[in-house]
Amino acid sequence: MNSDCVVAVDPVTIVIKECINLSTAMRKYSKFRAQSGVAALLSSSEIFTNQDDSLAVTFNNLSSNKHNDPLLSGFVQLRLMLNNLQNLEEIDSLTLLQPFLLTISTSSISGYITSLALDSLQKFLTMNVINDTSKNHVGAIREAVNALTHCRFDRSEQLSDDAVLLKVVILLQKVTHSRYGELISDSIMYDVLQTILSLACNKKRSEVLRRAAENTLISITANLFYKLKHLEPTDLSQKYINDEGYATSVLKEDLIGTENGSQEEAYAQDEPTTISGGDEETTDASQLLLESQEKSQKENTHAMGSPRSESKESKSSEILEDNHGLPVIRHYMNLLLSLIVPENQAKHTNSVRIFGLQLINTAIEVSGNIFPQHPRLFSLVSDPIFKHVLFIIQNGSKLSLVQAALQLFTTLVIILGDHLKVQIELTLNRIFDILLNNANDMTSEGRPRPAAVKELLIEQISLLWTRSPSFFTSTFIEFDCNLDRADVSINFLSGLAKLALPESALTSTESVPPICLEGLISLIDDIYSRVQIVDREKFLREKGNVNRLKQKERKTEFIKCAKIFNEKPKKGVPLLIEKKFIKSDSEEDIAEFLFENNGRLNKRTIGLLLCDPTHTSLLKKFIDLFDFKDLRVDEAIRILLTKFRLPGESQQIERIIEEFSARYVESQNYEPSKANNSNDDEDLSTIQPDADSVFILSYSVIMLNTDLHNPQVKEHMSFDDYCSNLKGCYNQQNFPHWYLDRIYCSIRDKEIVMPEEHHGNDRWFEDAWNNLISSTMVMPEIQTHHERNYDNLSPQEISQFDGAIFQNVGRSIVDTFFKIFEVASDDHISSRMLSSVDKCAFIASFLRMGDLFNEILYKIAVMTELSDGANRDPNESDEIPLVEITIEDSNSKILVSSDACRLGRSFKAQLCVVIFFRVIRTNKFFTRLTPELWNKIVKILLLLFEDLMVSPDIFPDLQQRLKLGNLPRPAPEVTLKKARESRGILSAFASYLKGDEEPTEDEIDASAKAFDCIKSSNIPSSIFGNEQNITEELIRMLLQAIKVKKTPENSRYFEPEMLFIVELCVALFLFCKDKKTLGNHVLYKVNEISKVSGLSKRCIRRLLAYNLLLISVVDEQQNMLHNLINNEFLKKNEIFTQKYFASEHGCEVLRRLLALTDIDNYRNTILQDEGFWKLLRLLASMKEHTAMIYEYLERSLHTTNNILVNENFMWILGLLDEISSLGAVGSQWEHEYQRLLKAGHKTDENNPHQSMIDLSLRSIKLTSQMVEKKLASIHLSKNETIALIQALAHQCLNPCSQIRSFSLKCLEDVLIKLDLPSAEISSLEELIEGGLLPLLDTINSREESSVPVSEILAVISKIYLYRLKQGITTDETFLKILNIYNKYVEVPEVEKQLQHLITDKKAVEKSHSSMTPGDGFSNVDSRQTSVDLSQYVGPENGSLKEDSQQASADS
């Protein structure tokens, strides 16, 4: 039907051919056989008008004698009219179509001919015979559609008849969907809808015809409501009063295609009546025509079932209707509403009602979002349609009907949810009352509600969250955060949490729990995905600052206040003021609160409060808040009574009506100039009643409302009675008739809702709905701009509401997940549940819901079946020991144990293990774990350790740091060897100790799965890799888990587990070293454990290494350190052997012990501890430690914090002497070297022990420096000085010549550097006697000494001469030296040394004698040198004696 489509044949030929086809067919039909072609030509023809009158009369008389048919004549005349035309431009399109349309609408024509006429019409439309350029094409199209809706023909077989009607349906669809469809008027389009709907609803029609009619009507409905998108919106600035009656339209009887408009003979009706009479049809068409032409007076249109000639005659006198638009849409919706109202359920079958719901659903789907722009159309949806949908949902027992109602409900929620909040709230509450068995389990028909209804309910509403996972959050924002609305979202989710449990299937069906579960999962997934992208710090800062959530938090308090107000307003109002719901105690604020926030307040209570004589001014201020401008009195009363209910006493009503009347007059702003104008125009502004007139009229409206709608009133007031009652009441005149007529019709059609509480009786549903919807009866809340809703919120803002939802229902959702997980037998369901629980844990951690987070983890820990035997199957087979199977080929090991088998056989337990440790590992929000949970974690960890399922070496860095090596592992109870691995039965070379059977293949497979699970869980890093998990509670829990008593049960893993836990505690404490109290606790515990009897040497050594580390970290543990050195390292020689100290571990212990002297708190204690120096001296003798200890001494003695004090001088001196003595090993090479030289052999001159010799030389040097002030910051006592000299003298006896000679030199330097005399040592003799004579005595005592005496005596001589020069020697000093020489004078070298000494002495004395006494030389010294020395010279040494005497004489 495209206007651009041009066919090959000209349109005139097409029409003529169709006329010939129809004429031929009609002549063949028996009814037209008696009529000749000539008669047809002559009948009503003007071809003889200009010819002979007698001839014309003759032919006319001839034709009049035959059967004359106007239908055939119409085709002949049309053909003759077109014969000489070239085109159809001058032909009226209606004239062109009229014979065909008359054939279609004439009941006496056979179905065959009607079918041909329909084919012709279709060809005309298809081939553009009628197009936009055609004359009167609008009228032609409208008449064509009208003829199709009134198609009549002579009945025959039903299938044949239905085939004809099928063409009608197809043509109607074709026309309405073409561009000509826009030309159809409202009344004709309404006929189309009625016709096709009646066909679709007539069960006696064939299935093909009904289905075609249904599909066509759905298509036309969609097309019709698409048009709504292009219509101008209703003026929303005007007040709209919903005072119309609903469901006034009725479905007409299916009369199309019947002879004389009746089907009684053809098809008997045994279905429920789906028709109505023709009067109602006429009324509907009249209303549409009036609305379309916008006429004020009512007029009747033609009867739609009348013959076409009458229709044409009536149409010719009418004004052309506008193209169809909003009126037909509204009437069509009203017609569909009539199909679903409960009052008409006796007229319509369930299939008809279902089809009606489907058509409404189609309309909403197409343009439901446009409905709010047209208040009258929207009011149909918001009140009657929604109301009856709820009624069907609540009371229906037919599944198909309930399903259709639910589909419409979900469509309304999705498209118009923002405009239908109160309706949605009530519907959802009722749905969950049914699902949770809180409602009456009987339908309105008195039948039990089928269980399948519940499945249907939940299945259909699941679309809400399936379509939008954010449904619950948006619902929470719109409802739960509104003081006047119920907690829809929270109640919804709570209901889903209950229904998702498997036991709910007992009262519903098996499909209900899974559907509900999907709803909960979708919520958790939605919240989880959002918190992933939210800034948590910002979230926490903004928490508590969201106004809507503040309102939600106050909601419970508001409900309590409202409840008190509803019971006793005198108590409720002060309480509302106190809680700041009412701004102040002023009457203005109270009135404003009652006006704007009365959703939860009882409207009767508000009425009683306002009409109280003591609250007159409050009543006035309340009513002054209304705006009644440009409203009739009855409309103003409707608005007034949306806020409160009229009380029952007449005096109370009178006060309210009096104030209302005054406010009504005040709002109108009357124009006196219009007061006396004629009322023919029905202009509302001309009606200007005074307050008294309004008062009387208001009373009459209330009385009329009661009279017309009270079921107890038998005879209702007529309009005439109502008018007579108001005579003379309009400013002492009569109200205009039209004005009262409007009031009367408004009250008659729509009751002013003043429902009482009728819970429990037959009117309960109506009253519950009316109470809810009454506030929207007047000026529906059609908002073009909503307050910021979900779509306008950012994810950051939405997350605040997510948090509030989860805090309310998170715990119940988690409980539901766990319960389903416990009973689930499908692995996929188990995985999904635990995955959702994992997300819940993350959300709880994000929201700082620590309690829930810990509860989740605790439950998962219990389900792992690893912590204890509480959850184990009592029917489980006997425990099997821990078996280690060694595969010799690959040297691999397989471990089998009861716990591993149990874990490997349970997929759920494995799942719990993986999820549990993943949650702990990813605890990035630092949620603190409770002691109970840590206890579980520790138990799981130790069980896995005991079963060799985790490696004990969790902190290898610590082991490397302490040079400890790997921790020992528990020993398996049974060890088996196997040549090679196979999947069959194991061939073992050993059996269990108790003779039990070998592990089965199933047990091995289960253990392997368990090990894979534990490995993939990465348990050590999960627990200890997250620093936030390392807390004091964990360390204390680990310490408590240490078993200090060895029993037969724990003997296998007693020591390994002890060391495992201790190492964990030590390593973990290093992450929180600032907690000194915890450190002390760990240290004492480790020290206590080390004293447990029966521990192995390795265990004790390891424990003391931990002890030493802890002491260095904790500080202030001097006693513990003293005990460690003296009672452990020194006394327990069987444990701390030289071999141990020579090991890498022992070296590290020594290094750490030395490092303690750098810690201020330990420095003085350890340096003054004799045991420390004893231990060092003991260890210094070991070549592995000598260098370390010496370096430590050298470094410590040269630092500013010199370690040398009087208390440790002797210990340090002894330590140095010990180190110095180690160089004696070099003498062996020296002797060998000399021997080889004497033998004439060549040899390497490098001493292999040179490093040790060098260390000894450095030690001797360091010893000699101890008398220097830079090292000896302390004052040395006589004993200390003598001891130092003796130490150096001792090294003079060292077998190694390098050391010996160096020692002599150092000894000489020390004796020279000493200050003499001093407070402790007064003379040189004391040094010689205390330090050097013992050395000479030692040399004499040795049979073979590598140290010549002459070297010692040379040192004595040098010292004496040095001191002689200083003038601090005496004769007694010289005599003692001579006495020493006398002992060794037989040695030739000694004699020479003595001679040199005497000579040097004389030289010194001579130099002194040349000096004056003032030069500083002492006369006392000179006199002392004149002592006779001959007494010290032996008789055998004559020459020496002479020299001595000469020396004396010279003196």
Side-chain angles (χ1 to χ4, degrees), residues 45-53 56 60:
S45 175
E46 297 180 356
I47 59 174
F48 296 110
T49 53
N50 297 324
Q51 305 297 328
D52 186 5
D53 290 340
N60 284 331

Side-chain angles (χ1 to χ4, degrees), residues 42 129 133 171 203 324 358 449 484 790 919-920 1043 1105 1113 1183 1442:
L42 296 177
V129 174
T133 62
L171 262 174
K203 287 291 184 181
H324 70 278
Q358 290 173 345
R449 182 178 286 107
D484 292 329
Y790 180 87
V919 173
I920 293 177
K1043 302 178 180 65
V1113 176
K1183 62 180 181 180
E1442 293 175 356

Side-chain angles (χ1 to χ4, degrees), residues 676-906:
N676 297 322
N677 288 356
S678 173
N679 292 331
D680 294 339
D681 295 335
E682 298 186 4
D683 185 1
L684 188 63
S685 63
T686 63
I687 309 301
Q688 301 178 3
D690 55 21
D692 291 338
S693 301
V694 173
F695 182 87
I696 296 172
L697 184 58
S698 300
Y699 250 114
S700 72
V701 168
I702 296 171
M703 294 175 63
L704 177 64
N705 186 73
T706 304
D707 181 88
L708 293 180
H709 298 285
N710 191 328
Q712 296 180 354
V713 177
K714 302 301 181 183
E715 295 183 6
H716 299 296
M717 187 185 305
S718 65
F719 175 68
D720 293 337
D721 295 336
Y722 182 64
C723 291
S724 63
N725 291 337
L726 290 173
K727 285 184 178 179
C729 294
Y730 172 47
N731 302 337
Q732 298 181 353
Q733 298 179 13
N734 294 335
F735 281 100
H737 184 276
W738 64 266
Y739 187 76
L740 294 181
D741 179 64
R742 289 189 181 182
I743 293 176
Y744 183 87
C745 292
S746 173
I747 302 300
R748 179 197 63 196
D749 295 339
K750 191 75 173 180
E751 177 187 6
I752 299 178
V753 180
M754 293 183 290
E756 303 291 336
E757 297 298 329
H758 295 293
H759 294 290
N761 62 22
D762 294 338
R763 296 199 60 195
W764 176 81
F765 175 80
E766 291 284 344
D767 293 326
W769 179 266
N770 290 336
N771 272 312
L772 184 70
I773 206 67
S774 60
S775 59
T776 63
M777 290 296 183
V778 179
M779 298 174 63
E781 299 174 0
I782 303 170
Q783 303 175 4
T784 55
H785 296 91
H786 295 279
E787 186 180 354
R788 197 177 192 195
N789 55 19
Y790 180 87
D791 295 331
N792 303 116
L793 298 177
S794 66
Q796 191 77 36
E797 294 168 312
I798 295 174
S799 63
Q800 296 287 347
F801 298 99
D802 289 337
I805 292 174
F806 193 80
Q807 287 176 335
N808 278 279
V809 297
R811 194 178 302 274
S812 60
I813 291 176
V814 169
D815 291 341
T816 299
F817 287 159
F818 273 121
K819 290 178 181 177
I820 296 173
F821 177 78
E822 289 174 0
V823 300
S825 57
D826 184 83
D827 290 346
H828 173 71
I829 295 176
S830 301
S831 301
R832 192 131 189 239
M833 289 304 96
L834 217 53
S835 174
S836 298
V837 168
D838 182 14
K839 293 177 181 178
C840 289
F842 181 89
I843 297 170
S845 178
F846 180 90
L847 298 176
R848 286 186 175 176
M849 297 175 63
D851 292 342
L852 179 58
F853 181 81
N854 280 276
E855 287 177 19
I856 291 172
L857 285 181
Y858 190 87
K859 288 181 179 179
I860 298 177
V862 172
M863 292 178 180
T864 62
E865 301 183 0
L866 291 176
S867 56
D868 50 47
N871 290 338
R872 295 178 182 173
D873 187 357
N875 299 322
E876 190 176 330
S877 58
D878 296 337
E879 296 289 308
I880 61 175
L882 177 60
V883 182
E884 182 181 78
I885 305 171
T886 303
I887 309 299
E888 295 179 342
D889 288 352
S890 59
N891 200 26
S892 60
K893 294 181 179 180
I894 300 174
L895 291 162
V896 182
S897 65
S898 296
D899 295 312
C901 291
R902 188 179 301 108
L903 177 61
R905 288 169 179 155
S906 173

Side-chain angles (χ1 to χ4, degrees), residues 540-556:
L540 295 176
R541 286 196 306 270
E542 295 176 352
K543 191 175 183 180
N545 297 326
V546 182
N547 292 330
R548 283 178 177 268
L549 289 178
K550 289 181 180 178
Q551 196 172 16
K552 172 69 174 73
E553 293 170 359
R554 299 188 66 200
K555 189 172 183 178
T556 303

Side-chain angles (χ1 to χ4, degrees), residues 883-894 972 974-982 985-992 998-999:
V883 182
E884 182 181 78
I885 305 171
T886 303
I887 309 299
E888 295 179 342
D889 288 352
S890 59
N891 200 26
S892 60
K893 294 181 179 180
I894 300 174
V974 179
T975 302
L976 298 175
K977 289 186 178 180
K978 181 178 179 296
R980 57 190 176 84
E981 185 175 7
S982 67
I985 301 176
L986 290 174
S987 300
F989 293 93
S991 60
Y992 289 126
E998 300 168 359

